[in-house]
CSV table of all heavy atoms in Angstrom, one decimal:
chain,number,residue,atom,x,y,z
I,1058,LYS,N,-103.8,-12.9,22.0
I,1058,LYS,CA,-104.6,-12.1,21.2
I,1058,LYS,C,-103.9,-10.7,21.1
I,1058,LYS,O,-104.3,-9.7,21.6
I,1058,LYS,CB,-106.0,-11.9,21.9
I,1058,LYS,CG,-106.9,-13.1,21.9
I,1058,LYS,CD,-107.3,-13.6,20.5
I,1058,LYS,CE,-108.1,-14.8,20.6
I,1058,LYS,NZ,-108.5,-15.3,19.2
I,1059,ARG,N,-102.8,-10.7,20.4
I,1059,ARG,CA,-102.0,-9.5,20.2
I,1059,ARG,C,-102.9,-8.4,19.5
I,1059,ARG,O,-103.6,-8.7,18.5
I,1059,ARG,CB,-100.8,-9.8,19.3
I,1059,ARG,CG,-99.7,-10.6,20.0
I,1059,ARG,CD,-98.6,-10.9,19.1
I,1059,ARG,NE,-99.1,-11.7,17.9
I,1059,ARG,CZ,-98.3,-11.9,16.8
I,1059,ARG,NH1,-97.2,-11.3,16.7
I,1059,ARG,NH2,-98.8,-12.6,15.8
I,1060,LYS,N,-102.9,-7.3,20.1
I,1060,LYS,CA,-103.7,-6.2,19.5
I,1060,LYS,C,-103.0,-5.5,18.4
I,1060,LYS,O,-101.9,-5.0,18.5
I,1060,LYS,CB,-103.9,-5.1,20.6
I,1060,LYS,CG,-104.9,-4.0,20.2
I,1060,LYS,CD,-105.2,-3.1,21.3
I,1060,LYS,CE,-106.1,-2.0,20.9
I,1060,LYS,NZ,-106.4,-1.0,22.0
I,1061,ALA,N,-103.6,-5.5,17.2
I,1061,ALA,CA,-103.1,-4.9,16.0
I,1061,ALA,C,-103.5,-3.5,16.0
I,1061,ALA,O,-104.7,-3.1,16.1
I,1061,ALA,CB,-103.6,-5.6,14.8
I,1062,LYS,N,-102.5,-2.6,15.9
I,1062,LYS,CA,-102.8,-1.2,15.8
I,1062,LYS,C,-102.6,-0.6,14.4
I,1062,LYS,O,-101.8,-1.2,13.6
I,1062,LYS,CB,-101.8,-0.4,16.7
I,1062,LYS,CG,-101.9,-0.9,18.2
I,1062,LYS,CD,-100.9,-0.1,19.1
I,1062,LYS,CE,-101.0,-0.6,20.5
I,1062,LYS,NZ,-100.0,0.1,21.4
I,1063,ASP,N,-103.4,0.4,14.0
I,1063,ASP,CA,-103.2,1.0,12.7
I,1063,ASP,C,-101.8,1.5,12.5
I,1063,ASP,O,-101.2,2.2,13.3
I,1063,ASP,CB,-104.2,2.2,12.6
I,1063,ASP,CG,-105.6,1.7,12.5
I,1063,ASP,OD1,-105.9,0.6,12.2
I,1063,ASP,OD2,-106.5,2.6,12.8
I,1064,GLY,N,-101.3,1.1,11.4
I,1064,GLY,CA,-99.9,1.5,11.0
I,1064,GLY,C,-98.8,0.6,11.6
I,1064,GLY,O,-97.7,0.7,11.3
I,1065,ASP,N,-99.2,-0.3,12.4
I,1065,ASP,CA,-98.2,-1.3,13.0
I,1065,ASP,C,-97.9,-2.3,12.0
I,1065,ASP,O,-98.8,-2.9,11.4
I,1065,ASP,CB,-98.9,-1.9,14.2
I,1065,ASP,CG,-97.9,-2.8,15.0
I,1065,ASP,OD1,-96.8,-3.1,14.4
I,1065,ASP,OD2,-98.2,-3.2,16.1
I,1066,THR,N,-96.6,-2.6,11.7
I,1066,THR,CA,-96.2,-3.5,10.7
I,1066,THR,C,-96.6,-4.9,11.1
I,1066,THR,O,-96.7,-5.8,10.2
I,1066,THR,CB,-94.7,-3.5,10.4
I,1066,THR,OG1,-94.0,-3.7,11.7
I,1066,THR,CG2,-94.3,-2.2,9.8
I,1067,ASN,N,-96.9,-5.2,12.4
I,1067,ASN,CA,-97.4,-6.5,12.8
I,1067,ASN,C,-98.9,-6.7,12.5
I,1067,ASN,O,-99.4,-7.8,12.7
I,1067,ASN,CB,-97.2,-6.6,14.3
I,1067,ASN,CG,-95.7,-6.8,14.7
I,1067,ASN,OD1,-95.0,-7.4,13.9
I,1067,ASN,ND2,-95.3,-6.3,15.8
I,1068,GLN,N,-99.6,-5.7,12.0
I,1068,GLN,CA,-101.0,-5.9,11.7
I,1068,GLN,C,-101.2,-6.9,10.7
I,1068,GLN,O,-102.1,-7.8,10.8
I,1068,GLN,CB,-101.6,-4.5,11.3
I,1068,GLN,CG,-103.1,-4.6,11.1
I,1068,GLN,CD,-103.7,-3.2,10.8
I,1068,GLN,OE1,-103.0,-2.3,10.3
I,1068,GLN,NE2,-104.9,-3.1,11.2
I,1069,ALA,N,-100.4,-6.9,9.6
I,1069,ALA,CA,-100.5,-7.9,8.6
I,1069,ALA,C,-100.3,-9.3,9.1
I,1069,ALA,O,-101.0,-10.3,8.8
I,1069,ALA,CB,-99.6,-7.6,7.4
I,1070,ARG,N,-99.3,-9.4,10.0
I,1070,ARG,CA,-99.0,-10.7,10.6
I,1070,ARG,C,-100.1,-11.2,11.5
I,1070,ARG,O,-100.4,-12.4,11.6
I,1070,ARG,CB,-97.6,-10.7,11.4
I,1070,ARG,CG,-97.0,-12.0,11.7
I,1070,ARG,CD,-95.6,-11.9,12.2
I,1070,ARG,NE,-94.7,-11.3,11.3
I,1070,ARG,CZ,-94.1,-11.9,10.3
I,1070,ARG,NH1,-94.3,-13.2,10.1
I,1070,ARG,NH2,-93.3,-11.3,9.5
I,1071,PHE,N,-100.7,-10.3,12.2
I,1071,PHE,CA,-101.8,-10.6,13.1
I,1071,PHE,C,-103.0,-11.1,12.3
I,1071,PHE,O,-103.6,-12.1,12.6
I,1071,PHE,CB,-102.3,-9.3,13.9
I,1071,PHE,CG,-103.5,-9.5,14.7
I,1071,PHE,CD1,-103.4,-10.0,16.0
I,1071,PHE,CD2,-104.7,-9.3,14.2
I,1071,PHE,CE1,-104.5,-10.1,16.8
I,1071,PHE,CE2,-105.9,-9.4,15.0
I,1071,PHE,CZ,-105.8,-9.9,16.3
I,1072,MET,N,-103.3,-10.4,11.2
I,1072,MET,CA,-104.4,-10.9,10.4
I,1072,MET,C,-104.2,-12.2,9.7
I,1072,MET,O,-105.0,-13.1,9.6
I,1072,MET,CB,-104.7,-9.8,9.3
I,1072,MET,CG,-105.1,-8.4,9.8
I,1072,MET,SD,-106.6,-8.5,10.9
I,1072,MET,CE,-107.9,-9.0,9.7
I,1073,ASP,N,-102.9,-12.4,9.2
I,1073,ASP,CA,-102.6,-13.7,8.6
I,1073,ASP,C,-102.6,-14.8,9.6
I,1073,ASP,O,-103.1,-15.9,9.3
I,1073,ASP,CB,-101.2,-13.6,8.0
I,1073,ASP,CG,-100.7,-14.9,7.4
I,1073,ASP,OD1,-101.1,-15.1,6.2
I,1073,ASP,OD2,-100.0,-15.7,8.1
I,1074,THR,N,-102.2,-14.6,10.9
I,1074,THR,CA,-102.2,-15.6,11.9
I,1074,THR,C,-103.5,-15.9,12.5
I,1074,THR,O,-103.9,-17.1,12.7
I,1074,THR,CB,-101.2,-15.2,13.0
I,1074,THR,OG1,-99.9,-15.0,12.4
I,1074,THR,CG2,-101.1,-16.3,14.1
I,1075,PHE,N,-104.3,-14.9,12.8
I,1075,PHE,CA,-105.5,-15.1,13.6
I,1075,PHE,C,-106.8,-14.9,12.9
I,1075,PHE,O,-107.9,-15.3,13.3
I,1075,PHE,CB,-105.5,-14.1,14.8
I,1075,PHE,CG,-104.4,-14.4,15.8
I,1075,PHE,CD1,-103.3,-13.5,15.9
I,1075,PHE,CD2,-104.4,-15.5,16.6
I,1075,PHE,CE1,-102.3,-13.7,16.8
I,1075,PHE,CE2,-103.4,-15.7,17.5
I,1075,PHE,CZ,-102.3,-14.9,17.6
I,1076,LYS,N,-106.8,-14.2,11.7
I,1076,LYS,CA,-108.0,-13.8,11.0
I,1076,LYS,C,-108.1,-14.4,9.6
I,1076,LYS,O,-108.9,-13.9,8.8
I,1076,LYS,CB,-108.2,-12.3,11.0
I,1076,LYS,CG,-108.2,-11.7,12.4
I,1076,LYS,CD,-109.5,-12.0,13.2
I,1076,LYS,CE,-109.5,-11.3,14.5
I,1076,LYS,NZ,-110.7,-11.6,15.2
I,1077,HIS,N,-107.3,-15.3,9.3
I,1077,HIS,CA,-107.3,-15.8,7.9
I,1077,HIS,C,-108.6,-16.6,7.6
I,1077,HIS,O,-109.0,-17.4,8.4
I,1077,HIS,CB,-106.1,-16.7,7.6
I,1077,HIS,CG,-105.7,-16.7,6.2
I,1077,HIS,ND1,-106.4,-17.4,5.2
I,1077,HIS,CD2,-104.6,-16.2,5.6
I,1077,HIS,CE1,-105.8,-17.2,4.1
I,1077,HIS,NE2,-104.7,-16.5,4.3
I,1078,PRO,N,-109.2,-16.4,6.4
I,1078,PRO,CA,-110.5,-17.0,6.0
I,1078,PRO,C,-110.3,-18.5,5.7
I,1078,PRO,O,-111.3,-19.2,5.6
I,1078,PRO,CB,-111.0,-16.2,4.8
I,1078,PRO,CG,-109.8,-15.6,4.2
I,1078,PRO,CD,-108.8,-15.3,5.4
I,1079,TYR,N,-109.1,-18.9,5.4
I,1079,TYR,CA,-108.9,-20.4,5.0
I,1079,TYR,C,-107.6,-20.9,5.4
I,1079,TYR,O,-106.5,-20.3,5.1
I,1079,TYR,CB,-109.0,-20.5,3.5
I,1079,TYR,CG,-109.0,-22.0,3.0
I,1079,TYR,CD1,-110.2,-22.8,3.0
I,1079,TYR,CD2,-107.8,-22.6,2.7
I,1079,TYR,CE1,-110.1,-24.1,2.6
I,1079,TYR,CE2,-107.7,-23.9,2.3
I,1079,TYR,CZ,-108.9,-24.7,2.3
I,1079,TYR,OH,-108.9,-26.0,1.9
I,1080,GLU,N,-107.6,-22.0,6.2
I,1080,GLU,CA,-106.4,-22.6,6.6
I,1080,GLU,C,-106.5,-24.1,6.6
I,1080,GLU,O,-107.6,-24.6,7.0
I,1080,GLU,CB,-106.0,-22.1,8.1
I,1080,GLU,CG,-105.7,-20.7,8.2
I,1080,GLU,CD,-105.4,-20.2,9.6
I,1080,GLU,OE1,-106.1,-20.8,10.5
I,1080,GLU,OE2,-104.6,-19.4,9.8
I,1081,THR,N,-105.5,-24.8,6.3
I,1081,THR,CA,-105.5,-26.3,6.4
I,1081,THR,C,-104.3,-26.7,7.2
I,1081,THR,O,-103.2,-26.1,7.1
I,1081,THR,CB,-105.4,-26.9,5.0
I,1081,THR,OG1,-106.3,-26.4,4.2
I,1081,THR,CG2,-105.6,-28.4,5.1
I,1082,PHE,N,-104.4,-27.7,8.1
I,1082,PHE,CA,-103.4,-28.2,9.0
I,1082,PHE,C,-103.1,-29.7,8.6
I,1082,PHE,O,-104.0,-30.4,8.3
I,1082,PHE,CB,-103.8,-28.0,10.4
I,1082,PHE,CG,-104.0,-26.6,10.8
I,1082,PHE,CD1,-105.2,-26.0,10.6
I,1082,PHE,CD2,-103.0,-25.9,11.4
I,1082,PHE,CE1,-105.4,-24.7,11.0
I,1082,PHE,CE2,-103.2,-24.6,11.8
I,1082,PHE,CZ,-104.4,-24.0,11.6
I,1083,TYR,N,-101.8,-30.1,8.7
I,1083,TYR,CA,-101.4,-31.4,8.3
I,1083,TYR,C,-100.6,-32.1,9.4
I,1083,TYR,O,-99.8,-31.4,10.1
I,1083,TYR,CB,-100.6,-31.3,7.0
I,1083,TYR,CG,-101.3,-30.8,5.9
I,1083,TYR,CD1,-101.2,-29.4,5.6
I,1083,TYR,CD2,-102.1,-31.6,5.0
I,1083,TYR,CE1,-101.9,-28.8,4.5
I,1083,TYR,CE2,-102.7,-31.0,3.9
I,1083,TYR,CZ,-102.6,-29.7,3.7
I,1083,TYR,OH,-103.3,-29.1,2.6
I,1084,GLY,N,-100.6,-33.4,9.4
I,1084,GLY,CA,-99.7,-34.2,10.2
I,1084,GLY,C,-98.4,-34.3,9.4
I,1084,GLY,O,-98.4,-34.2,8.1
I,1085,GLN,N,-97.3,-34.5,10.0
I,1085,GLN,CA,-96.0,-34.5,9.3
I,1085,GLN,C,-95.9,-35.7,8.3
I,1085,GLN,O,-95.6,-35.5,7.2
I,1085,GLN,CB,-94.8,-34.7,10.3
I,1085,GLN,CG,-93.5,-34.6,9.7
I,1085,GLN,CD,-92.4,-34.4,10.7
I,1085,GLN,OE1,-92.6,-34.3,11.9
I,1085,GLN,NE2,-91.1,-34.5,10.2
I,1086,ARG,N,-96.4,-36.9,8.7
I,1086,ARG,CA,-96.4,-38.0,7.8
I,1086,ARG,C,-97.5,-37.8,6.8
I,1086,ARG,O,-97.4,-38.3,5.6
I,1086,ARG,CB,-96.5,-39.3,8.5
I,1086,ARG,CG,-95.3,-39.6,9.4
I,1086,ARG,CD,-95.6,-41.0,10.1
I,1086,ARG,NE,-94.4,-41.3,11.0
I,1086,ARG,CZ,-94.4,-42.4,11.8
I,1086,ARG,NH1,-95.4,-43.2,11.8
I,1086,ARG,NH2,-93.3,-42.6,12.5
I,1087,GLU,N,-98.6,-37.2,7.2
I,1087,GLU,CA,-99.7,-37.0,6.3
I,1087,GLU,C,-99.4,-36.2,5.1
I,1087,GLU,O,-99.7,-36.5,3.9
I,1087,GLU,CB,-100.9,-36.3,7.0
I,1087,GLU,CG,-102.1,-36.0,6.2
I,1087,GLU,CD,-103.1,-35.1,6.9
I,1087,GLU,OE1,-102.8,-34.7,8.0
I,1087,GLU,OE2,-104.2,-34.9,6.3
I,1088,PHE,N,-98.7,-35.1,5.3
I,1088,PHE,CA,-98.3,-34.2,4.2
I,1088,PHE,C,-97.2,-34.9,3.3
I,1088,PHE,O,-97.1,-34.7,2.1
I,1088,PHE,CB,-97.9,-32.8,4.6
I,1088,PHE,CG,-97.8,-31.9,3.5
I,1088,PHE,CD1,-98.9,-31.3,2.9
I,1088,PHE,CD2,-96.6,-31.5,3.0
I,1088,PHE,CE1,-98.9,-30.4,1.9
I,1088,PHE,CE2,-96.5,-30.6,1.9
I,1088,PHE,CZ,-97.7,-30.0,1.4
I,1089,LYS,N,-96.3,-35.6,4.0
I,1089,LYS,CA,-95.3,-36.4,3.2
I,1089,LYS,C,-96.0,-37.3,2.2
I,1089,LYS,O,-95.6,-37.5,1.1
I,1089,LYS,CB,-94.4,-37.1,4.2
I,1089,LYS,CG,-93.3,-37.9,3.5
I,1089,LYS,CD,-92.4,-38.6,4.5
I,1089,LYS,CE,-91.2,-39.3,3.9
I,1089,LYS,NZ,-91.7,-40.6,3.2
I,1090,ARG,N,-97.0,-38.1,2.7
I,1090,ARG,CA,-97.7,-39.0,1.9
I,1090,ARG,C,-98.4,-38.2,0.7
I,1090,ARG,O,-98.5,-38.7,-0.4
I,1090,ARG,CB,-98.7,-39.8,2.7
I,1090,ARG,CG,-98.1,-40.9,3.6
I,1090,ARG,CD,-99.2,-41.8,4.1
I,1090,ARG,NE,-100.2,-41.2,4.8
I,1090,ARG,CZ,-100.2,-41.0,6.2
I,1090,ARG,NH1,-99.1,-41.5,6.8
I,1090,ARG,NH2,-101.1,-40.4,6.8
I,1091,TYR,N,-99.0,-37.1,1.1
I,1091,TYR,CA,-99.7,-36.3,0.1
I,1091,TYR,C,-98.7,-35.9,-1.1
I,1091,TYR,O,-99.1,-36.0,-2.3
I,1091,TYR,CB,-100.2,-35.0,0.7
I,1091,TYR,CG,-100.9,-34.1,-0.3
I,1091,TYR,CD1,-102.1,-34.3,-0.8
I,1091,TYR,CD2,-100.3,-32.9,-0.7
I,1091,TYR,CE1,-102.8,-33.5,-1.7
I,1091,TYR,CE2,-100.9,-32.0,-1.6
I,1091,TYR,CZ,-102.1,-32.3,-2.1
I,1091,TYR,OH,-102.7,-31.5,-3.0
I,1092,LEU,N,-97.5,-35.5,-0.8
I,1092,LEU,CA,-96.5,-35.2,-1.8
I,1092,LEU,C,-96.2,-36.4,-2.6
I,1092,LEU,O,-96.1,-36.4,-3.8
I,1092,LEU,CB,-95.2,-34.6,-1.1
I,1092,LEU,CG,-95.4,-33.2,-0.6
I,1092,LEU,CD1,-94.1,-32.8,0.2
I,1092,LEU,CD2,-95.7,-32.2,-1.6
I,1093,GLU,N,-96.0,-37.5,-1.9
I,1093,GLU,CA,-95.6,-38.8,-2.6
I,1093,GLU,C,-96.7,-39.2,-3.5
I,1093,GLU,O,-96.5,-39.7,-4.6
I,1093,GLU,CB,-95.3,-39.9,-1.6
I,1093,GLU,CG,-94.0,-39.6,-0.8
I,1093,GLU,CD,-93.8,-40.5,0.3
I,1093,GLU,OE1,-94.8,-41.2,0.8
I,1093,GLU,OE2,-92.6,-40.6,0.8
I,1094,GLN,N,-98.0,-39.1,-3.1
I,1094,GLN,CA,-99.1,-39.5,-3.9
I,1094,GLN,C,-99.2,-38.6,-5.2
I,1094,GLN,O,-99.9,-38.9,-6.1
I,1094,GLN,CB,-100.4,-39.4,-3.1
I,1094,GLN,CG,-100.5,-40.5,-2.1
I,1094,GLN,CD,-101.6,-40.2,-1.0
I,1094,GLN,OE1,-102.3,-39.2,-1.1
I,1094,GLN,NE2,-101.8,-41.1,-0.1
I,1095,ASN,N,-98.6,-37.4,-5.1
I,1095,ASN,CA,-98.7,-36.5,-6.2
I,1095,ASN,C,-97.4,-36.5,-7.0
I,1095,ASN,O,-97.1,-35.5,-7.8
I,1095,ASN,CB,-99.0,-35.1,-5.7
I,1095,ASN,CG,-100.5,-34.9,-5.5
I,1095,ASN,OD1,-101.3,-34.6,-6.4
I,1095,ASN,ND2,-100.9,-35.1,-4.2
I,1096,GLY,N,-96.6,-37.5,-6.9
I,1096,GLY,CA,-95.4,-37.7,-7.8
I,1096,GLY,C,-94.1,-37.2,-7.3
I,1096,GLY,O,-93.2,-37.1,-8.1
I,1097,PHE,N,-94.0,-36.9,-6.0
I,1097,PHE,CA,-92.7,-36.4,-5.5
I,1097,PHE,C,-92.0,-37.4,-4.6
I,1097,PHE,O,-92.7,-38.3,-4.0
I,1097,PHE,CB,-93.0,-35.1,-4.6
I,1097,PHE,CG,-93.4,-33.9,-5.4
I,1097,PHE,CD1,-94.8,-33.7,-5.6
I,1097,PHE,CD2,-92.5,-33.1,-5.9
I,1097,PHE,CE1,-95.2,-32.5,-6.3
I,1097,PHE,CE2,-92.8,-31.9,-6.6
I,1097,PHE,CZ,-94.2,-31.7,-6.8
I,1098,LYS,N,-90.7,-37.3,-4.6
I,1098,LYS,CA,-89.9,-38.0,-3.6
I,1098,LYS,C,-89.4,-37.0,-2.6
I,1098,LYS,O,-88.8,-36.0,-2.9
I,1098,LYS,CB,-88.7,-38.7,-4.2
I,1098,LYS,CG,-87.8,-39.4,-3.2
I,1098,LYS,CD,-86.6,-40.0,-3.9
I,1098,LYS,CE,-85.6,-40.7,-2.9
I,1098,LYS,NZ,-84.4,-41.2,-3.6
I,1099,VAL,N,-89.8,-37.2,-1.3
I,1099,VAL,CA,-89.4,-36.3,-0.2
I,1099,VAL,C,-88.0,-36.6,0.2
I,1099,VAL,O,-87.6,-37.7,0.5
I,1099,VAL,CB,-90.3,-36.4,1.0
I,1099,VAL,CG1,-89.8,-35.5,2.1
I,1099,VAL,CG2,-91.8,-36.0,0.6
I,1100,LEU,N,-87.1,-35.5,0.1
I,1100,LEU,CA,-85.7,-35.6,0.4
I,1100,LEU,C,-85.4,-35.4,1.9
I,1100,LEU,O,-84.6,-36.1,2.5
I,1100,LEU,CB,-84.9,-34.6,-0.4
I,1100,LEU,CG,-85.1,-34.7,-1.9
I,1100,LEU,CD1,-84.4,-33.5,-2.6
I,1100,LEU,CD2,-84.7,-36.0,-2.5
I,1101,ARG,N,-86.1,-34.4,2.5
I,1101,ARG,CA,-85.9,-34.1,3.9
I,1101,ARG,C,-87.0,-33.3,4.5
I,1101,ARG,O,-87.7,-32.6,3.7
I,1101,ARG,CB,-84.6,-33.3,4.0
I,1101,ARG,CG,-84.0,-33.1,5.4
I,1101,ARG,CD,-82.7,-32.4,5.4
I,1101,ARG,NE,-82.2,-32.3,6.8
I,1101,ARG,CZ,-81.1,-31.6,7.1
I,1101,ARG,NH1,-80.4,-31.0,6.2
I,1101,ARG,NH2,-80.7,-31.5,8.4
I,1102,THR,N,-87.2,-33.4,5.7
I,1102,THR,CA,-88.3,-32.6,6.4
I,1102,THR,C,-87.6,-31.8,7.5
I,1102,THR,O,-86.6,-32.2,8.1
I,1102,THR,CB,-89.4,-33.5,7.0
I,1102,THR,OG1,-88.8,-34.3,8.0
I,1102,THR,CG2,-90.0,-34.3,5.9
């Protein structure tokens, strides 16, 4: 729980990492399938 201080350039990173209102997480193969289902060929991960 890194403490974000006013004026600290890490404040934005803290908010993005710990306080974001919307996040989705994927399995490695799951997101590969998602790309393939949407018309992509995955070259490398």
Side-chain angles (χ1 to χ4, degrees):
K1058 294 292 182 181
R1059 290 177 298 168
K1060 186 177 181 181
K1062 300 178 181 179
D1063 291 340
D1065 187 347
T1066 55
N1067 287 329
Q1068 187 173 25
R1070 197 172 296 280
F1071 175 88
M1072 297 302 294
D1073 179 83
T1074 303
F1075 296 108
K1076 301 293 184 179
H1077 206 287
Y1079 184 86
E1080 296 175 325
T1081 309
F1082 298 84
Y1083 299 91
Q1085 186 169 353
R1086 292 181 180 178
E1087 176 189 7
F1088 193 75
K1089 180 177 183 289
R1090 286 195 300 269
Y1091 177 75
L1092 289 173
E1093 292 171 342
Q1094 290 166 358
N1095 281 275
F1097 289 92
K1098 177 182 179 181
V1099 174
L1100 307 175
R1101 192 174 182 187
T1102 64

